[in-house]
Structure formats: structure tokens, C-alpha cells
Amino acid sequence: MASLELSDIRKSYGATAVLDGVSLTMEAREFIAFLGPSGSGKSTLLRIIAGLETLDGGEVRLDGRRIDQVPPGDRGVAMVFQHYALYPHMSVRENMAFGLRNVGVPRDEIERRVADAARVLEIEVHLDKKPGQMSGGQRQRVAIGRAIVKHPKLFLLDEPLSNLDAALRMRTRIELAQIRSRVDAAFIMVTHDQAEAMTLADRIVVMNDRKIQQVGPPMEIYSRPANTFVARFVGSPAMTLAPVELVPDDGLYARVRLGDGAEIETRVPRSELPAGGTLQIGLRPESVAVAANGAATTQAKVELVERLGERTLVYARLSDNRAITAEDEGYSRVNVGDTVGLRIDGAAAHLFDAEERGYHAEARPE
């Protein structure tokens, strides 16, 4: 059973730092997603764990054994690449068996492992096909099967769904979740697709600027972002951020004022906020609703209407020219150029200080 420990991992290419003191502990059978923009260091970190990149400082341990100085093939990890890396002239069976043959696994053991992996992945009928005769999703399963036969303690998935079209990506995402439940190993997946991370991962590691920004379960990352980067990066559309003033009063919760003068009472305890300094409010689209003027907190001018069927997203600007995103019903009558009322749910608002740290509503009692 895998237990991965990363301690103070550092990596630079020349004068350019890529990872700066990354530490993380992963439990057995856990599924973790490294999520972040291009250049955040997530793929480099995955390749360091796999042994495809050397590190400049720190340690990698698997089940308590230090592996950062161990050859890749002896680490007990298996990597599934973005572009599958299958041999086109070999059958599926041969592709899955190739690595085992190279290390001298007996023929009957190879056949047993390939048959077991093919059954788990439901690709038995494809074993004698060549990769070119298969769909992208089937080829991805073959690539996973080639990793499964090695009986790794840890699977490393490098953007495994990025080459698939939207419909196939959704089906393969479901298949990957099912595979995970059948395999006695831990998984790390690198992705820039937050839907994949939110759907598949037990915990998400959000990375940016060479560091880990936040680690936690998907809904914790979404509902209690540690800083403004996480707030903007996780969630689609992105969270609205706007500067606000703290309204002086004796209330338990912070009351803030938008640039257009509208006041919002949050559920962020006033005592948790730093004294003085600037604040930003963070609003998810679902906490801002198009409303009749009598029920509205503020008004905004509509710049774009995105009709999604079951709901409508309204992109607008407040009177101080700050952008804000709101939701309306599916059959919204809002049009570009309209001035609409917006009702802001202060209980769902987030606040961020001058250091961009997040403060959130009190947790509701169970």
C-alpha cells in the first residue's frame, strides 16, 4: 500500500526556479490531482516522482523508502503519458506485455497479468488489435493497462484525457473512476482541467508560481479558497473579485461597501479580519442573482449573456466599472445593454486581505 512523502522538493533549470520547497504527504489508495496553469510546476513534480527528472533538493519517499535516487524502473511507480506512447506495430497484447518481457517476467506470469488487466479495463476483445484500429479512449485504456500489469504502488497520470474530444473525455473520466476502484494502488493525476480534478480526486493540490497554493478535498478548495489565485482558478466562471471597504459597526459579521455604495453583510466573522488594510470581496456566480429592483442589492449593465439551457450566466459591470458575473433562470429575458438589478447573497461571500489570504463564512453547524 503506497504512502508517498515529498519533502522540500526543489528544482531549477539554470537560473529559472520551477519548484520551490514543495512538500506533500499522500495516503494509501488516495487519488490526488495536481491542478494548475501551464508553467506551475505540476508536470515537473510528477516527472520527479517518476524518476524522469532529477531534483535539486529534497526527498521523495514511497512506503518510507527513499526513491529519488533509485532508477525509474525500480521505484514501484508506473506512468501513463498524455500521448499514450504505444508501439503502433504491436498488438494491444504485445504493448501490455512489452515492459514485463524486458525485465524477464516468466511467460505464463505475463499472460496472466495481461489477461487480468484486460478484464479490469474491459478490453479483452481488443487484445489482438493494433493501436491504430482503436479509438482514443480505448488507446488510453491500453496505456493504463500497460501500467497495471507492472503492479505498481503508485500510478502517475500526465493529463491522460487532454487528447480526447469533450464527449469521449466525459466517458473516459467515468471509466477512470471505475478503474481506480478496482486497482489496489494510489493515483496522482496532473491536469489543468478543474472538472477532471473535482470529479476524480479525493484531494486537489493547487499549484502556481513554483509552490503549492492549497491542498484539500474538492469542495473545500471550491468553497474555502486559501487565496485569490485559488479563488479565481477554481470555478467556472471564475469568482468575481472587487475591492470593498469595511463598514465600521459593532456587528458580529463583517459588513462591506462596494465601490458603487451598495452594502453587503457577510457571514465572515469580523474578529477574524486583520485590522486596517484593504479588502476584496469574492462572489461566485451562484451567489449573485438577477432580481427585480426592489429586491436588488445593486445594479449593473449587461455586457454578455451566456445561455446554457438550465441556467443563464450574465456578465455585467457595476457603476464603478467593476466586472461581475451573475446567474439567471434558463429562460432569462436579459439582453446585452440592459441595466439589471442584482441580489447578492452576503452569506456566501468571501473576503480577501491585502496579502490575498481568504476569509470565509462560519461553517454551518452539523
Side-chain angles (χ1 to χ4, degrees):
M1 301 292 280
S3 178
L4 181 71
E5 297 175 72
L6 306 177
S7 302
D8 197 28
I9 302 298
R10 299 176 183 275
K11 177 67 178 179
S12 297
Y13 295 112
T16 304
V18 180
L19 295 169
D20 185 11
V22 171
S23 297
L24 178 71
T25 300
M26 180 180 186
E27 299 302 323
R29 290 185 61 90
E30 191 173 17
F31 195 125
I32 281 182
F34 291 167
L35 178 66
S38 298
S40 60
K42 58 189 187 298
S43 291
T44 299
L45 184 57
L46 195 78
R47 291 173 66 84
I48 285 174
I49 298 168
L52 303 179
E53 295 277 0
T54 58
L55 45 71
D56 298 330
E59 295 183 358
V60 180
R61 292 182 179 272
L62 187 62
D63 283 349
R65 170 191 174 219
R66 186 170 177 179
I67 63 170
D68 51 86
Q69 298 173 338
V70 174
D74 298 330
R75 294 191 175 200
V77 305
M79 190 157 178
V80 178
F81 294 93
Q82 178 180 355
H83 297 288
Y84 317 135
L86 301 176
Y87 296 105
H89 63 287
M90 292 183 182
S91 68
V92 168
R93 189 190 311 276
E94 291 167 335
N95 266 284
M96 292 172 66
F98 183 78
L100 299 180
R101 287 204 308 268
N102 277 357
V103 297
V105 176
R107 179 186 294 249
D108 58 346
E109 175 67 9
I110 291 175
E111 291 177 355
R112 184 186 67 80
R113 291 194 193 185
V114 169
D116 287 347
R119 183 174 60 256
V120 167
L121 297 166
E122 299 180 348
I123 55 172
E124 295 121 307
V125 297
H126 302 300
L127 283 173
D128 295 317
K129 291 181 179 179
K130 301 287 179 62
Q133 298 173 292
M134 306 175 74
S135 71
Q138 290 168 340
R139 290 197 294 271
Q140 187 60 271
R141 276 187 277 172
V142 175
I144 294 171
R146 188 174 54 188
I148 287 175
V149 298
K150 298 177 182 178
H151 292 174
K153 297 177 181 179
L154 175 64
F155 283 89
L156 305 175
L157 312 178
D158 187 11
E159 302 207 39
L161 310 183
S162 62
N163 288 329
L164 307 180
D165 62 46
L168 186 54
R169 184 180 303 168
M170 177 65 73
R171 292 200 301 273
T172 307
R173 191 183 298 162
I174 294 170
E175 291 172 356
L176 187 55
Q178 293 170 340
I179 291 166
R180 178 267 176 102
S181 69
R182 301 171 194 150
V183 176
D184 187 16
F187 287 75
I188 297 177
M189 178 179 68
V190 162
T191 182
H192 61 269
D193 186 323
Q194 58 185 275
E196 289 175 13
M198 296 285 288
T199 302
L200 293 168
D202 298 314
R203 286 191 298 157
I204 296 174
V205 177
V206 183
M207 299 185 66
N208 189 50
D209 194 26
R210 310 180 305 279
K211 297 177 182 291
I212 291 176
Q213 301 292 318
Q214 188 173 357
V215 181
M219 287 310 297
E220 179 181 306
I221 297 287
Y222 182 82
S223 62
R224 302 183 72 81
N227 54 44
T228 56
F229 171 79
V230 178
R232 285 190 298 257
F233 190 76
V234 177
S236 181
M239 180 183 287
T240 293
L241 294 174
V244 290
E245 295 178 2
L246 186 62
V247 177
D249 62 27
D250 296 326
L252 177 63
Y253 300 113
R255 175 179 286 274
V256 295
R257 184 181 296 115
L258 290 168
D260 66 358
E263 292 190 2
I264 302 166
E265 183 167 351
T266 73
R267 288 296 179 270
V268 178
R270 183 180 291 270
S271 60
E272 293 184 3
L273 295 174
T278 59
L279 291 174
Q280 292 187 82
I281 193 170
L283 299 167
R284 296 285 185 198
E286 60 266 28
S287 64
V288 183
V290 174
N293 285 335
T297 310
T298 188
Q299 291 187 326
K301 187 171 183 178
V302 178
E303 292 189 326
L304 177 67
V305 178
E306 186 176 10
R307 302 185 189 279
L308 302 176
E310 79 286 359
R311 62 176 181 151
T312 299
L313 293 174
V314 177
Y315 301 86
R317 287 197 180 270
L318 301 170
S319 61
D320 64 352
N321 207 38
R322 296 286 175 178
I324 190 167
T325 305
E327 279 194 3
D328 199 10
E329 60 188 8
Y331 289 95
S332 173
R333 296 183 179 180
V334 172
N335 292 298
V336 173
D338 290 351
T339 296
V340 296
L342 300 179
R343 184 178 67 251
I344 296 173
D345 179 7
H350 310 263
L351 294 175
F352 299 90
D353 64 18
E355 303 298 320
E356 301 192 340
R357 291 172 298 205
Y359 300 84
H360 312 290
E362 280 186 327
R364 293 187 176 93
E366 297 293 335

